[in-house]
Coordinates of all heavy atoms in Angstrom, one line a residue:
D128 N -70.5 6.8 -5.6 CA -69.7 6.0 -4.7 C -70.2 4.6 -4.5 O -69.5 3.6 -4.6 CB -69.5 6.8 -3.4 CG -68.1 6.8 -2.9 OD1 -67.2 6.6 -3.7 OD2 -67.9 7.0 -1.7
L129 N -71.5 4.5 -4.2 CA -72.1 3.2 -3.9 C -72.1 2.3 -5.1 O -71.7 1.1 -5.0 CB -73.5 3.4 -3.4 CG -73.7 4.1 -2.0 CD1 -75.1 4.3 -1.7 CD2 -72.9 3.4 -0.9
L130 N -72.5 2.8 -6.3 CA -72.5 2.0 -7.5 C -71.0 1.7 -7.9 O -70.8 0.6 -8.4 CB -73.2 2.8 -8.6 CG -74.7 3.0 -8.4 CD1 -75.3 3.7 -9.5 CD2 -75.4 1.6 -8.2
G131 N -70.1 2.6 -7.7 CA -68.7 2.3 -8.0 C -68.2 1.1 -7.2 O -67.5 0.2 -7.7
D132 N -68.6 1.1 -5.9 CA -68.2 -0.1 -5.0 C -68.8 -1.3 -5.5 O -68.2 -2.4 -5.5 CB -68.5 0.2 -3.6 CG -67.7 1.3 -3.0 OD1 -66.6 1.6 -3.5 OD2 -68.0 1.8 -1.9
W133 N -70.1 -1.2 -5.9 CA -70.8 -2.4 -6.3 C -70.2 -3.0 -7.6 O -70.0 -4.2 -7.8 CB -72.3 -2.1 -6.5 CG -73.1 -3.3 -6.8 CD1 -73.7 -4.2 -5.9 CD2 -73.4 -3.9 -8.1 NE1 -74.4 -5.2 -6.5 CE2 -74.2 -5.1 -7.9 CE3 -73.1 -3.5 -9.4 CZ2 -74.7 -5.8 -8.9 CZ3 -73.6 -4.3 -10.4 CH2 -74.4 -5.5 -10.2
R134 N -69.9 -2.1 -8.5 CA -69.3 -2.5 -9.8 C -68.0 -3.2 -9.6 O -67.6 -4.1 -10.3 CB -69.1 -1.3 -10.7 CG -70.4 -0.9 -11.4 CD -70.8 -1.9 -12.5 NE -71.9 -1.4 -13.3 CZ -72.6 -2.2 -14.2 NH1 -72.2 -3.5 -14.3 NH2 -73.6 -1.7 -14.9
Q135 N -67.2 -2.6 -8.6 CA -65.9 -3.2 -8.3 C -66.0 -4.6 -7.8 O -65.2 -5.5 -8.1 CB -65.2 -2.3 -7.3 CG -63.8 -2.8 -7.0 CD -63.1 -1.8 -6.1 OE1 -63.1 -0.6 -6.2 NE2 -62.4 -2.4 -5.1
E136 N -67.1 -4.9 -7.1 CA -67.3 -6.2 -6.6 C -68.0 -7.2 -7.6 O -68.0 -8.4 -7.4 CB -68.3 -6.2 -5.4 CG -67.7 -5.4 -4.2 CD -68.7 -5.0 -3.1 OE1 -69.9 -5.4 -3.3 OE2 -68.4 -4.3 -2.2
H137 N -68.5 -6.6 -8.7 CA -69.1 -7.4 -9.8 C -68.5 -7.0 -11.1 O -69.2 -6.4 -12.0 CB -70.6 -7.2 -9.8 CG -71.3 -7.5 -8.5 ND1 -71.2 -6.7 -7.4 CD2 -72.0 -8.6 -8.1 CE1 -71.9 -7.3 -6.4 NE2 -72.3 -8.4 -6.8
P138 N -67.2 -7.3 -11.4 CA -66.6 -6.9 -12.6 C -67.3 -7.6 -13.8 O -67.5 -8.8 -13.8 CB -65.2 -7.3 -12.5 CG -65.2 -8.3 -11.4 CD -66.3 -8.0 -10.5
P139 N -67.6 -6.9 -14.9 CA -68.3 -7.5 -16.0 C -67.4 -8.4 -16.9 O -67.8 -9.2 -17.6 CB -68.7 -6.3 -16.9 CG -67.8 -5.2 -16.5 CD -67.4 -5.4 -15.1
D140 N -66.0 -8.2 -16.7 CA -65.1 -9.0 -17.6 C -64.3 -10.0 -16.8 O -63.2 -10.3 -17.0 CB -64.1 -8.0 -18.3 CG -63.4 -7.2 -17.3 OD1 -63.7 -7.2 -16.1 OD2 -62.4 -6.5 -17.7
A141 N -64.9 -10.6 -15.8 CA -64.2 -11.5 -14.9 C -63.7 -12.8 -15.6 O -62.9 -13.5 -15.1 CB -65.1 -11.9 -13.7
G142 N -64.2 -13.1 -16.8 CA -63.8 -14.3 -17.5 C -62.7 -14.1 -18.5 O -62.2 -15.0 -19.1
E143 N -62.2 -12.9 -18.6 CA -61.1 -12.6 -19.6 C -59.8 -13.3 -19.2 O -59.1 -13.9 -20.1 CB -60.9 -11.1 -19.9 CG -62.1 -10.5 -20.6 CD -61.8 -9.1 -21.1 OE1 -60.6 -8.6 -20.8 OE2 -62.7 -8.4 -21.6
L144 N -59.4 -13.1 -18.0 CA -58.2 -13.7 -17.5 C -58.5 -15.0 -16.7 O -59.4 -15.0 -15.9 CB -57.5 -12.8 -16.5 CG -56.1 -13.2 -16.0 CD1 -55.1 -13.2 -17.1 CD2 -55.7 -12.3 -14.8
R145 N -57.9 -16.1 -17.1 CA -58.1 -17.4 -16.5 C -56.9 -17.9 -15.8 O -55.8 -17.8 -16.3 CB -58.7 -18.4 -17.5 CG -60.1 -18.1 -18.0 CD -60.4 -19.0 -19.2 NE -59.6 -18.7 -20.4 CZ -59.7 -19.4 -21.5 NH1 -60.6 -20.4 -21.6 NH2 -58.9 -19.1 -22.5
V146 N -57.1 -18.5 -14.6 CA -56.0 -19.1 -13.8 C -56.4 -20.5 -13.6 O -57.5 -20.8 -13.0 CB -55.8 -18.4 -12.4 CG1 -54.7 -19.0 -11.7 CG2 -55.5 -16.9 -12.6
V147 N -55.5 -21.4 -14.0 CA -55.8 -22.8 -13.9 C -54.7 -23.4 -12.9 O -53.5 -23.2 -13.0 CB -55.6 -23.6 -15.2 CG1 -55.8 -25.1 -15.0 CG2 -56.5 -23.0 -16.3
G148 N -55.2 -23.9 -11.8 CA -54.3 -24.4 -10.8 C -55.0 -25.4 -9.9 O -56.1 -25.9 -10.1
H149 N -54.3 -25.7 -8.8 CA -54.8 -26.7 -7.8 C -55.2 -26.0 -6.5 O -54.5 -25.1 -6.1 CB -53.7 -27.7 -7.5 CG -54.1 -29.0 -6.8 ND1 -54.5 -29.0 -5.5 CD2 -54.4 -30.2 -7.3 CE1 -54.9 -30.2 -5.2 NE2 -54.8 -31.0 -6.2
R150 N -56.2 -26.4 -5.9 CA -56.7 -25.8 -4.7 C -55.6 -25.8 -3.6 O -55.5 -24.8 -2.8 CB -58.0 -26.5 -4.2 CG -58.4 -26.0 -2.8 CD -59.6 -26.9 -2.3 NE -60.0 -26.4 -1.0 CZ -61.0 -27.0 -0.2 NH1 -61.6 -28.1 -0.8 NH2 -61.2 -26.6 1.0
W151 N -54.8 -26.9 -3.5 CA -53.9 -27.0 -2.5 C -52.5 -26.6 -2.9 O -51.5 -27.2 -2.4 CB -53.9 -28.4 -1.9 CG -55.3 -28.8 -1.4 CD1 -56.0 -29.8 -1.9 CD2 -56.0 -28.2 -0.4 NE1 -57.2 -29.9 -1.2 CE2 -57.2 -28.9 -0.3 CE3 -55.8 -27.2 0.5 CZ2 -58.2 -28.6 0.7 CZ3 -56.7 -26.8 1.4 CH2 -57.9 -27.5 1.5
S152 N -52.3 -25.8 -3.9 CA -51.0 -25.3 -4.4 C -50.7 -23.9 -3.7 O -51.5 -23.0 -3.9 CB -51.1 -25.2 -5.9 OG -50.0 -24.3 -6.4
E153 N -49.6 -23.8 -3.1 CA -49.2 -22.6 -2.5 C -49.0 -21.5 -3.5 O -49.5 -20.3 -3.3 CB -47.9 -22.7 -1.7 CG -47.5 -21.5 -0.9 CD -46.2 -21.7 -0.1 OE1 -45.6 -22.8 -0.2 OE2 -45.9 -20.8 0.7
R154 N -48.4 -21.8 -4.6 CA -48.2 -20.8 -5.7 C -49.5 -20.3 -6.3 O -49.7 -19.2 -6.6 CB -47.2 -21.3 -6.7 CG -46.9 -20.2 -7.8 CD -46.3 -19.0 -7.1 NE -46.3 -17.8 -8.1 CZ -46.4 -16.6 -7.7 NH1 -46.5 -16.3 -6.4 NH2 -46.4 -15.6 -8.5
S155 N -50.5 -21.3 -6.5 CA -51.8 -20.9 -7.0 C -52.5 -19.9 -6.1 O -53.1 -18.9 -6.5 CB -52.7 -22.2 -7.2 OG -52.2 -23.0 -8.2
H156 N -52.4 -20.2 -4.8 CA -52.9 -19.3 -3.8 C -52.3 -17.9 -3.9 O -53.0 -16.8 -3.8 CB -52.8 -19.8 -2.4 CG -53.2 -18.9 -1.3 ND1 -54.5 -18.7 -1.0 CD2 -52.5 -18.2 -0.4 CE1 -54.6 -17.9 0.0 NE2 -53.4 -17.5 0.4
E157 N -51.0 -17.8 -4.1 CA -50.2 -16.6 -4.1 C -50.7 -15.8 -5.4 O -50.8 -14.6 -5.3 CB -48.7 -16.8 -4.1 CG -48.2 -17.3 -2.8 CD -46.8 -17.8 -2.9 OE1 -46.2 -17.9 -4.0 OE2 -46.1 -18.1 -1.9
V158 N -50.8 -16.5 -6.5 CA -51.2 -15.8 -7.7 C -52.6 -15.2 -7.6 O -52.9 -14.1 -8.0 CB -51.2 -16.8 -8.9 CG1 -51.9 -16.2 -10.1 CG2 -49.7 -17.1 -9.3
K159 N -53.5 -16.0 -7.0 CA -54.9 -15.5 -6.8 C -54.9 -14.3 -5.9 O -55.7 -13.3 -6.1 CB -55.8 -16.6 -6.3 CG -56.1 -17.7 -7.3 CD -57.2 -18.7 -6.8 CE -56.8 -19.4 -5.6 NZ -57.9 -20.3 -5.1
T160 N -54.1 -14.4 -4.8 CA -54.1 -13.3 -3.9 C -53.5 -12.0 -4.6 O -54.0 -10.9 -4.4 CB -53.2 -13.7 -2.7 OG1 -53.8 -14.8 -2.0 CG2 -53.1 -12.5 -1.7
F161 N -52.5 -12.2 -5.4 CA -51.9 -11.0 -6.1 C -52.9 -10.4 -7.0 O -53.0 -9.1 -7.0 CB -50.7 -11.5 -6.9 CG -50.0 -10.4 -7.7 CD1 -49.0 -9.6 -7.0 CD2 -50.3 -10.2 -9.0 CE1 -48.4 -8.5 -7.7 CE2 -49.7 -9.2 -9.7 CZ -48.7 -8.3 -9.1
L162 N -53.6 -11.2 -7.8 CA -54.6 -10.6 -8.7 C -55.7 -9.9 -7.9 O -56.2 -8.8 -8.3 CB -55.2 -11.8 -9.6 CG -54.2 -12.4 -10.5 CD1 -54.8 -13.6 -11.2 CD2 -53.7 -11.4 -11.6
T163 N -56.2 -10.6 -6.9 CA -57.3 -10.0 -6.1 C -56.9 -8.7 -5.5 O -57.7 -7.7 -5.6 CB -57.8 -11.0 -5.0 OG1 -58.3 -12.2 -5.6 CG2 -58.9 -10.4 -4.2
R164 N -55.8 -8.6 -4.9 CA -55.4 -7.4 -4.2 C -55.0 -6.3 -5.1 O -55.0 -5.1 -4.7 CB -54.2 -7.7 -3.2 CG -54.6 -8.7 -2.1 CD -53.5 -8.8 -1.0 NE -53.3 -7.4 -0.5 CZ -52.2 -7.1 0.2 NH1 -51.2 -8.0 0.3 NH2 -52.0 -5.9 0.7
N165 N -54.7 -6.6 -6.4 CA -54.4 -5.6 -7.4 C -55.6 -5.3 -8.2 O -55.5 -4.7 -9.3 CB -53.2 -6.0 -8.2 CG -51.9 -5.7 -7.5 OD1 -51.5 -4.6 -7.3 ND2 -51.3 -6.8 -7.1
H166 N -56.8 -5.8 -7.8 CA -58.1 -5.5 -8.5 C -58.1 -6.0 -9.9 O -58.7 -5.3 -10.8 CB -58.4 -4.0 -8.4 CG -58.4 -3.5 -7.0 ND1 -59.5 -3.7 -6.1 CD2 -57.5 -2.8 -6.3 CE1 -59.2 -3.1 -4.9 NE2 -58.0 -2.6 -5.0
V167 N -57.5 -7.1 -10.2 CA -57.5 -7.7 -11.5 C -58.5 -8.8 -11.5 O -58.3 -9.9 -10.9 CB -56.1 -8.2 -11.9 CG1 -56.2 -8.9 -13.3 CG2 -55.1 -7.1 -11.9
P168 N -59.6 -8.7 -12.2 CA -60.6 -9.8 -12.3 C -60.1 -11.0 -13.0 O -59.4 -10.9 -14.0 CB -61.8 -9.1 -13.0 CG -61.3 -8.0 -13.8 CD -60.1 -7.5 -13.0
Y169 N -60.5 -12.2 -12.5 CA -60.0 -13.4 -13.2 C -61.1 -14.5 -12.9 O -61.9 -14.4 -12.0 CB -58.7 -13.8 -12.6 CG -58.7 -14.2 -11.2 CD1 -58.8 -15.6 -10.8 CD2 -58.5 -13.3 -10.2 CE1 -58.9 -16.0 -9.5 CE2 -58.6 -13.7 -8.9 CZ -58.7 -15.0 -8.5 OH -58.8 -15.4 -7.2
Q170 N -60.9 -15.6 -13.7 CA -61.7 -16.8 -13.6 C -60.8 -17.9 -13.1 O -59.8 -18.2 -13.7 CB -62.4 -17.2 -14.9 CG -63.3 -18.4 -14.8 CD -63.9 -18.8 -16.1 OE1 -63.6 -18.2 -17.1 NE2 -64.7 -19.9 -16.1
W171 N -61.2 -18.5 -11.9 CA -60.4 -19.6 -11.3 C -61.0 -20.9 -11.8 O -62.1 -21.2 -11.7 CB -60.5 -19.5 -9.8 CG -60.0 -20.7 -9.1 CD1 -60.8 -21.4 -8.2 CD2 -58.7 -21.2 -9.0 NE1 -60.0 -22.4 -7.7 CE2 -58.7 -22.3 -8.1 CE3 -57.5 -20.8 -9.6 CZ2 -57.6 -23.1 -7.9 CZ3 -56.3 -21.6 -9.3 CH2 -56.4 -22.7 -8.5
L172 N -60.1 -21.8 -12.3 CA -60.4 -23.1 -12.8 C -59.6 -24.1 -12.0 O -58.3 -24.0 -12.1 CB -60.2 -23.3 -14.3 CG -61.0 -22.3 -15.2 CD1 -60.5 -22.4 -16.6 CD2 -62.5 -22.6 -15.1
Q173 N -60.2 -25.0 -11.4 CA -59.5 -26.0 -10.5 C -59.3 -27.3 -11.2 O -60.2 -28.0 -11.7 CB -60.4 -26.2 -9.2 CG -59.6 -26.8 -8.1 CD -60.4 -26.6 -6.8 OE1 -60.8 -25.5 -6.4 NE2 -60.7 -27.7 -6.1
I174 N -58.0 -27.7 -11.3 CA -57.6 -28.8 -12.1 C -58.2 -30.1 -11.7 O -58.5 -31.0 -12.5 CB -56.0 -28.9 -12.1 CG1 -55.5 -29.9 -13.1 CG2 -55.5 -29.2 -10.7 CD1 -55.7 -29.5 -14.6
D175 N -58.5 -30.3 -10.4 CA -59.0 -31.6 -10.0 C -60.5 -31.6 -9.9 O -61.1 -32.6 -9.5 CB -58.5 -31.9 -8.6 CG -58.7 -30.8 -7.6 OD1 -59.0 -29.7 -8.0 OD2 -58.7 -31.1 -6.4
R176 N -61.2 -30.5 -10.4 CA -62.6 -30.5 -10.4 C -63.3 -30.1 -11.7 O -64.4 -30.5 -12.0 CB -63.1 -29.5 -9.3 CG -62.9 -30.0 -7.9 CD -63.5 -29.1 -6.9 NE -63.3 -29.5 -5.5 CZ -63.8 -28.9 -4.4 NH1 -64.6 -27.8 -4.6 NH2 -63.6 -29.3 -3.2
D177 N -62.6 -29.3 -12.5 CA -63.1 -28.7 -13.7 C -62.6 -29.4 -15.0 O -61.4 -29.4 -15.2 CB -62.8 -27.2 -13.8 CG -63.4 -26.5 -12.6 OD1 -64.5 -26.8 -12.2 OD2 -62.8 -25.5 -12.2
D178 N -63.5 -29.9 -15.8 CA -63.1 -30.5 -17.1 C -62.4 -29.5 -18.0 O -61.5 -29.8 -18.7 CB -64.3 -31.1 -17.8 CG -64.9 -32.3 -17.1 OD1 -64.1 -33.0 -16.3 OD2 -66.1 -32.7 -17.3
E179 N -63.0 -28.2 -17.9 CA -62.4 -27.2 -18.8 C -60.9 -26.9 -18.3 O -60.1 -26.6 -19.2 CB -63.2 -25.9 -18.6 CG -62.7 -24.7 -19.4 CD -62.7 -24.9 -20.9 OE1 -63.3 -25.9 -21.4 OE2 -62.2 -24.0 -21.6
A180 N -60.6 -27.0 -17.1 CA -59.3 -26.8 -16.6 C -58.3 -27.8 -17.2 O -57.2 -27.5 -17.7 CB -59.2 -26.8 -15.1
R181 N -58.8 -29.1 -17.1 CA -57.9 -30.1 -17.7 C -57.7 -30.0 -19.2 O -56.7 -30.3 -19.7 CB -58.5 -31.5 -17.3 CG -58.4 -31.8 -15.9 CD -58.9 -33.2 -15.6 NE -60.3 -33.3 -15.6 CZ -61.1 -33.1 -14.6 NH1 -60.6 -32.8 -13.4 NH2 -62.5 -33.3 -14.7
R182 N -58.8 -29.5 -19.9 CA -58.7 -29.3 -21.3 C -57.7 -28.2 -21.7 O -56.9 -28.4 -22.6 CB -60.0 -29.0 -21.9 CG -60.1 -28.9 -23.4 CD -61.5 -28.4 -23.9 NE -61.7 -27.0 -23.7 CZ -61.3 -26.0 -24.5 NH1 -60.6 -26.3 -25.6 NH2 -61.5 -24.8 -24.2
L183 N -57.7 -27.1 -20.9 CA -56.8 -26.0 -21.1 C -55.3 -26.4 -20.9 O -54.4 -26.0 -21.6 CB -57.2 -24.8 -20.3 CG -58.5 -24.2 -20.7 CD1 -58.9 -23.1 -19.6 CD2 -58.4 -23.5 -22.0
V184 N -55.1 -27.2 -19.8 CA -53.8 -27.7 -19.5 C -53.2 -28.6 -20.6 O -52.1 -28.5 -21.0 CB -53.8 -28.4 -18.2 CG1 -52.5 -29.2 -18.0 CG2 -54.0 -27.5 -17.0
E185 N -54.1 -29.4 -21.2 CA -53.7 -30.3 -22.3 C -53.4 -29.4 -23.5 O -52.4 -29.7 -24.2 CB -54.8 -31.3 -22.6 CG -54.5 -32.3 -23.7 CD -55.6 -33.3 -23.9 OE1 -56.5 -33.4 -23.1 OE2 -55.5 -34.0 -24.9
L186 N -54.2 -28.4 -23.8 CA -54.0 -27.6 -25.0 C -52.7 -26.8 -24.9 O -52.0 -26.6 -25.9 CB -55.1 -26.6 -25.2 CG -56.5 -27.2 -25.7 CD1 -57.5 -26.1 -25.7 CD2 -56.3 -27.7 -27.2
A187 N -52.3 -26.4 -23.7 CA -51.1 -25.7 -23.4 C -49.9 -26.6 -23.3 O -48.8 -26.1 -23.2 CB -51.2 -24.8 -22.2
Q188 N -50.1 -27.9 -23.3 CA -49.1 -28.9 -23.1 C -48.3 -28.6 -21.9 O -47.1 -28.6 -21.8 CB -48.1 -28.9 -24.4 CG -48.8 -29.3 -25.7 CD -47.9 -29.4 -26.8 OE1 -46.8 -28.8 -26.8 NE2 -48.3 -30.0 -27.9
A189 N -49.0 -28.3 -20.8 CA -48.5 -28.0 -19.5 C -48.4 -29.2 -18.6 O -49.2 -30.0 -18.6 CB -49.3 -26.9 -18.9
G190 N -47.3 -29.2 -17.8 CA -47.1 -30.3 -16.8 C -47.4 -29.8 -15.4 O -47.7 -28.6 -15.2
P191 N -47.3 -30.6 -14.4 CA -47.5 -30.2 -13.0 C -46.7 -29.1 -12.6 O -47.2 -28.2 -11.8 CB -47.2 -31.5 -12.3 CG -47.4 -32.6 -13.2 CD -47.0 -32.1 -14.6
D192 N -45.4 -29.0 -13.1 CA -44.6 -27.9 -12.7 C -44.9 -26.5 -13.3 O -44.4 -25.5 -12.9 CB -43.1 -28.2 -13.0 CG -42.6 -29.4 -12.2 OD1 -43.1 -29.6 -11.1 OD2 -41.6 -30.0 -12.6

Side-chain angles (χ1 to χ4, degrees):
D128 223 21
L129 295 177
L130 293 179
D132 289 346
W133 188 88
R134 281 291 189 187
Q135 186 177 314
E136 297 165 3
H137 301 79
D140 57 349
E143 288 189 4
L144 183 72
R145 291 172 292 178
V146 180
V147 182
H149 196 285
R150 174 185 177 184
W151 303 118
S152 161
E153 182 176 9
R154 185 57 196 148
S155 291
H156 176 73
E157 291 171 350
V158 165
K159 292 192 296 178
T160 299
F161 180 83
L162 293 173
T163 298
R164 295 191 60 200
N165 282 288
H166 305 281
V167 179
Y169 67 93
Q170 180 183 1
W171 166 244
L172 299 171
Q173 199 163 302
I174 188 68
D175 55 341
R176 292 187 178 182
D177 300 324
D178 292 337
E179 177 67 5
R181 290 187 284 272
R182 186 184 74 84
L183 292 171
V184 167
E185 184 176 348
L186 286 174
Q188 298 181 344
D192 293 339

